[in-house]
């Protein structure tokens, strides 16, 4: 397979087959997902030693735990004896994980600690230290937990690259610009959609263009003001420049705005008074801490391949988890500012619930459209005709030296399919045997 | 208490449950016939509409099985103001997840009065909601409901609705129907 079988960057076209071919899906599992660093959760989900929750690393099921020494472990949730999940509880607090089949038990760090009939029938010879749960490499970045099972993968810092580290740090900063500013609220949102995972990924990567999908919520307004748009920043009075920012070398993408000046705070414009007061105070702190960089407003993005996030007044991080070429499970973590008063946390929580996920008035229309687009990748005739990614082609520029938007990134201002092109170009490089 | 008092009280309960069953049947019909404005009229202005997310937890932690209202992630945790917007969204013809509209059938069963406190009646029931959409899409939602109905000027209004869906990972792409 060659990268040019799928993508033609000069023409701005992409094969439809990559959304429906099971063969390509199998290659993705090995070549795109396995070597990646994946978001698996947040340290606020592991407040106490012994706390654990189930997650996914790439598409692999994992246990994320804090052991008795306080260290964070990411363990393949598969008993070494017969492959049963060692843990079948979504979350909790435990001293060990006991497989329900033959009773092998594992410590919070994955060490095999108990084997029935160890002395009598294994004659004490089973090498327990070799039969612990498979451990992933783990990295904690400003409270977010990342993992990979690929020993040959780059370091987490190199996988992200310097620019994406800057954006991820900015995403995880509280509204006051403080690092580690967020905590996860209880309960992960999980649901299934009958479409290829990349429809979600490309939408989050850089689709500033799909306003038509959401005209119903623009009409009704589901933002905090209840008066304007689905986005709170739509009520902002300070002019801003929307942009797509891509790291083409690594496939990471960001949708962001940069406000023209720091004069007024209005990112959460229209919020109820108590919420607005909190954000006003935060805004002053944020300016002190970040200076000119406080002008940045992250809308969302994708850390290649499947970790996605939304920001701009509602911070969520999620995973696209392909089950097959045509089916995807989606997981979402909802974040609130750690030090905010409860009224702020609750207002934001209600905003997510009416915005995002299968009950979200905004995202319902995304899921509907992605499912319908999937049909367009399955017809034999349609597959001969590629998809069009020509929007704002040829308008990209590198980040300027006087900007702090990044060193390796390329930028297209306003509505563009800049980020989708970068995402798929990197994807095709990973999938292909030759360029 | 005499035997006839007992019988009287049992009959009161049966009559009340029959009234509530009729109320739920009429409500289901409004939703299935897409008479959403009439449905909104059944909701008390102070309604809390809550559908938690189910988690798989240890047998001795049943209190953690469903996410909590007012603090955790839920499928729904909102008041009448947002439900009104949801109705307006469906009615606009531009909410693609419901355009063209789904065909739904709401079944409510096992209706049982749990408690009566002044004007408020706590009712437990079971529901089956089937949604068929476009050519091939099928949604099936099964679960339990606990409602608090308040009698206002002789009419029942829904003051609180807790909806316990049996699924944990939602096996449908969307929750565009009402429960």
């Amino acid at each position: 397979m060659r990268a040019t079988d799928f993508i033609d960057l000069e023409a701005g076209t992409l094969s439809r087959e990559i959304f429906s071919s099971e063969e390509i899906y199998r290659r993705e599992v090995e070549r795109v997902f396995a070597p990646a660093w994946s978001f698996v959760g947040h340290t606020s989900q592991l407040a106490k030693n012994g706390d654990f929750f189930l997650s996914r690393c790439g598409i692999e099921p994992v246990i994320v735990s804090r052991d008795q020494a306080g260290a964070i472990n990411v363990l393949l949730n598969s008993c070494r004896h017969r492959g049963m999940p060692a843990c079948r509880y979504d979350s909790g607090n435990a001293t060990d994980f006991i497989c329900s089949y033959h009773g092998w038990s594992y410590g919070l760090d994955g060490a095999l600690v108990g084997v029935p009939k160890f002395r009598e029938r294994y004659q004490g010879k089973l090498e327990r230290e070799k039969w612990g749960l498979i451990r992933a490499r783990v990295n904690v970045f400003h409270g977010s937990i990342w993992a990979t099972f690929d020993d040959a993968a780059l370091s987490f810092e190199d996988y992200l690259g310097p620019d994406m580290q800057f954006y991820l740090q900015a995403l995880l900063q509280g509204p006051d610009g403080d690092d580690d500013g967020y905590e996860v609220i209880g309960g992960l949102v999980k649901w299934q959609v009958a479409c290829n995972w990349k429809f979600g990924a490309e939408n989050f990567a850089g689709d500033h263009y799909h306003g038509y999908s959401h005209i119903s919520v623009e009409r009704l307004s589901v933002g905090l003001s209840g008066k304007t748009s689905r986005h709170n920043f739509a009520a902002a009075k300070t002019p801003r420049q929307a942009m797509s920012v891509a790291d083409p070398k690594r496939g990471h993408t960001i949708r962001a705005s940069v406000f023209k000046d720091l004069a007024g705070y209005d990112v959460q414009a229209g919020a109820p008074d108590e919420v607005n007061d909190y954000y006003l105070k935060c805004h002053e702190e944020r300016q002190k801490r970040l200076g000119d960089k406080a002008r940045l407003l992250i809308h969302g993005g994708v850390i290649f391949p499947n970790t996605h996030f939304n920001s701009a007044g509602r911070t969520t991080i999620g995973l696209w988890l392909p089950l097959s070429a045509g089916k995807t499970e989606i997981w979402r973590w909802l974040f609130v500012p750690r030090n905010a008063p409860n009224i702020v946390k609750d207002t934001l929580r209600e905003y997510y619930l009416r915005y995002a996920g299968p009950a979200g008035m905004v995202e319902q229309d995304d899921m509907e459209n992605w499912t319908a687009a999937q049909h367009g990748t399955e017809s034999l005739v349609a597959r001969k005709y590629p998809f069009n990614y020509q929007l704002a082609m040829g308008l990209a520029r590198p980040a300027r030296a006087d900007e702090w938007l990044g060193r390796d990134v390329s930028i297209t201002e306003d509505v563009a399919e800049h980020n989708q092109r970068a995402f798929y170009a990197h994807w095709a490089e990973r999938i292909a045997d030759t360029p | 208490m005499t035997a006839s008092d007992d019988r009287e009280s049992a009959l009161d309960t049966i009559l009340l449950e029959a009234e509530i069953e009729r109320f739920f049947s009429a409500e289901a019909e409004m939703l299935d016939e897409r008479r959403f404005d009439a449905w909104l009229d059944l909701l008390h202005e102070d309604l809390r509409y809550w559908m938690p997310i189910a988690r798989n937890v240890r047998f001795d932690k049943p209190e953690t099985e469903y996410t909590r209202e007012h603090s955790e992630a839920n499928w729904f945790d909102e008041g009448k103001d947002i439900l009104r917007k949801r109705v307006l969204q469906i009615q606009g013809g531009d909410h693609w997840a419901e355009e063209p509209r789904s065909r739904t059938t709401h079944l409510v069963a096992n209706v049982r009065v749990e408690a009566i406190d002044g004007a408020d009646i706590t009712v437990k029931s079971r529901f089956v909601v089937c949604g068929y959409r476009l050519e091939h899409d099928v949604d099936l939602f099964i679960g339990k409901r606990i409602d608090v109905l308040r009698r206002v000027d002789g009419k029942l209004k829904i003051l609180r609705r807790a909806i316990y869906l049996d699924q944990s990972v939602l096996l449908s792409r969307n929750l565009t129907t009402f429960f």
Side-chain angles (χ1 to χ4, degrees):
Chain A
M1 284 187 186
R2 298 154 62 90
T4 49
D5 293 344
F6 310 118
I7 186 163
D8 183 336
L9 282 170
E10 276 167 31
T13 57
L14 182 74
S15 159
R16 295 185 187 216
E17 204 184 347
I18 69 166
F19 299 93
S20 54
S21 156
E22 291 297 333
E23 188 193 347
I24 290 174
Y25 164 66
R26 282 190 294 274
R27 282 172 87 91
E28 284 178 331
V29 172
E30 286 176 26
R31 293 170 179 239
V32 173
F33 283 84
W37 280 88
S38 174
F39 172 83
V40 296
H42 191 262
T43 50
S44 60
Q45 296 175 270
L46 302 171
K48 298 188 295 292
N49 291 352
D51 283 354
F52 71 88
F53 59 90
L54 298 187
S55 186
R56 294 280 192 276
C57 172
I59 60 168
E60 303 292 335
V62 292
I63 307 169
V64 185
S65 68
R66 189 186 283 282
D67 61 36
Q68 297 306 342
I72 290 172
N73 306 274
V74 177
L75 311 165
L76 190 68
N77 191 11
S78 179
C79 177
R80 292 294 302 279
H81 180 239
R82 281 298 175 277
M84 284 280 297
C87 176
R88 303 204 293 167
Y89 305 122
D90 291 346
S91 59
N93 187 277
T95 53
D96 54 12
F97 305 111
I98 306 178
C99 174
S100 58
Y101 197 174
H102 300 91
W104 283 29
S105 62
Y106 301 91
L108 291 158
D109 60 356
L112 179 62
V113 292
V115 177
K117 301 205 183 293
F118 175 69
R119 274 181 215 301
E120 303 92 311
R121 304 306 298 164
Y122 288 102
Q123 297 134 63
K125 288 179 192 161
L126 178 79
E127 295 174 280
R128 281 184 293 196
E129 62 284 2
K130 287 190 183 167
W131 291 92
L133 295 177
I134 306 298
R135 294 171 57 83
R137 292 164 64 189
V138 180
N139 197 288
V140 176
F141 185 86
H142 296 296
S144 60
I145 308 169
W146 298 76
T148 180
F149 283 105
D150 186 355
D151 290 332
L154 299 172
S155 71
F156 175 74
E157 289 76 12
D158 289 341
Y159 185 84
L160 248 66
D163 300 336
M164 196 60 212
Q165 283 184 59
F166 163 70
Y167 287 106
L168 182 58
Q169 183 179 358
L171 174 81
L172 295 164
Q173 278 163 348
D176 56 359
D178 189 14
D179 287 336
D180 304 329
Y182 281 94
E183 65 187 15
V184 174
I185 66 172
L188 302 186
V189 184
K190 305 174 186 177
W191 74 103
Q192 294 187 347
V193 186
C195 70
N196 187 271
W197 67 278
K198 294 187 289 301
F199 281 118
E202 69 153 71
N203 178 288
F204 269 62
D207 200 330
H208 284 293
Y209 184 51
H210 73 299
Y212 191 73
S213 293
H214 300 305
I215 49 175
S216 65
V217 278
E218 288 298 297
R219 167 170 65 82
L220 290 162
S221 172
V222 294
L224 293 187
S225 73
K227 295 193 183 89
T228 315
S229 172
R230 64 191 190 273
H231 297 301
N232 300 331
F233 61 76
K237 291 174 207 81
T238 314
R240 64 188 166 83
Q241 178 61 60
M243 52 181 68
S244 299
V245 183
D247 181 341
K249 220 165 109 185
R250 301 174 182 86
H252 309 314
T253 49
I254 292 282
R255 288 173 286 122
S257 286
V258 177
F259 284 99
K260 292 288 184 210
D261 57 57
L262 285 169
Y265 162 74
D266 34 27
V267 171
Q268 297 284 42
D273 285 348
E274 288 150 294
V275 177
N276 211 35
D277 290 349
Y278 166 77
Y279 275 94
L280 267 171
K281 242 185 291 167
C282 286
H283 178 63
E284 285 164 27
E285 273 305 301
R286 180 177 158 84
Q287 293 206 18
K288 269 188 240 160
R289 281 204 171 100
L290 304 181
D292 191 50
K293 293 177 188 170
R295 292 191 293 132
L296 176 67
L297 173 70
I298 295 180
H299 296 210
V302 170
I303 293 172
F304 192 86
N306 70 324
T307 301
H308 61 276
F309 50 90
N310 240 326
S311 182
R314 33 159 224 290
T315 301
T316 62
I317 301 182
L319 298 173
W320 315 113
L321 300 166
L323 304 172
S324 64
K327 196 162 187 191
T328 301
E329 190 161 304
I330 306 174
W331 286 26
R332 286 279 170 74
W333 284 252
L334 313 184
F335 290 82
V336 291
R338 191 160 50 95
N339 298 319
N342 279 338
I343 174 83
V344 172
K345 292 181 181 181
D346 207 36
T347 302
L348 292 176
R349 190 185 62 91
E350 291 194 0
Y351 180 30
Y352 306 134
L353 298 185
R354 67 177 177 264
Y355 190 106
M361 296 167 69
V362 180
E363 288 195 343
Q364 286 175 345
D365 290 324
D366 289 320
M367 263 87 74
E368 181 77 6
N369 287 331
W370 302 341
T371 310
Q374 182 68 24
H375 294 302
T377 69
E378 285 163 0
S379 137
L380 193 65
V381 175
R383 282 209 310 247
K384 293 178 189 161
Y385 300 88
F387 283 148
N388 183 307
Y389 288 81
Q390 296 169 340
L391 185 68
M393 242 172 73
L395 301 179
R397 64 167 178 86
R400 288 189 304 269
D402 63 336
E403 291 173 310
W404 32 256
L405 292 169
R407 200 186 61 192
D408 298 344
V409 294
S410 70
I411 295 168
T412 300
E413 292 175 351
D414 294 325
V415 175
E417 281 166 348
H418 175 94
N419 281 2
Q420 291 94 320
R421 290 188 289 268
F423 174 85
Y424 285 118
H426 187 69
W427 176 90
E429 268 175 43
R430 292 280 186 96
I431 285 289
D433 301 305
T434 54
Chain B
M1 202 182 265
T2 67
S4 94
D5 285 343
D6 280 352
R7 187 180 149 79
E8 197 98 324
S9 148
L11 280 173
D12 283 350
T13 304
I14 288 168
L15 284 172
L16 181 60
E17 282 177 349
E19 181 192 0
I20 292 169
E21 276 181 24
R22 278 203 306 275
F23 175 80
F24 284 158
S25 299
E27 183 195 5
E29 200 161 281
M30 286 173 192
L31 291 173
D32 295 339
E33 292 176 357
R34 301 158 184 156
R35 288 183 286 123
F36 297 115
D37 292 317
W39 179 71
L40 284 172
D41 284 342
L42 300 180
L43 310 181
H44 194 279
E45 287 306 309
D46 300 330
L47 166 79
R48 194 71 192 172
Y49 184 85
W50 174 54
M51 183 195 273
I53 298 173
R55 292 182 277 219
N56 301 297
V57 298
R58 258 171 68 127
F59 77 102
D60 56 354
K61 301 278 182 204
E63 72 282 2
T64 63
E65 183 167 6
Y66 289 94
T67 53
R68 286 171 293 155
E69 59 188 314
H70 293 300
S71 64
E72 293 191 310
N74 295 281
W75 297 123
F76 297 97
D77 190 7
E78 61 199 34
K80 189 172 177 179
D81 52 338
I82 300 302
L83 287 168
R84 199 177 276 125
K85 285 202 174 188
R86 291 184 187 275
V87 165
L88 287 169
Q89 190 182 23
I90 294 173
Q91 288 172 333
D94 52 5
H95 179 26
W96 314 121
E98 274 298 321
E99 182 58 33
R101 288 179 181 180
S102 304
R103 287 164 289 280
T104 65
T105 295
H106 288 69
L107 303 173
V108 183
N110 302 21
V111 175
R112 198 170 63 77
V113 169
E114 176 82 358
I116 300 172
D117 179 11
D120 294 349
I121 309 157
T122 301
V123 189
K124 285 185 161 182
S125 60
R126 300 287 184 271
F127 65 82
V128 176
V129 177
C130 301
Y132 289 81
R133 162 147 203 74
L134 301 170
E135 290 177 303
H136 308 121
D137 298 340
V138 184
D139 294 321
L140 185 59
F141 304 112
I142 299 177
K144 292 100 181 158
R145 239 174 42 193
I146 303 177
D147 292 316
V148 177
L149 306 178
R150 177 170 288 179
R151 208 178 282 282
V152 182
D153 300 330
K155 284 185 181 164
L156 293 173
K157 297 277 179 186
I158 303 161
L159 180 66
R160 179 180 156 72
R161 173 156 289 173
I163 308 147
Y164 298 88
L165 194 64
D166 290 344
Q167 305 174 33
S168 77
V169 175
L170 192 81
L171 301 174
S172 295
R173 66 175 177 266
N174 280 331
L175 287 164
T176 48
T177 189
F178 303 103
F179 292 85

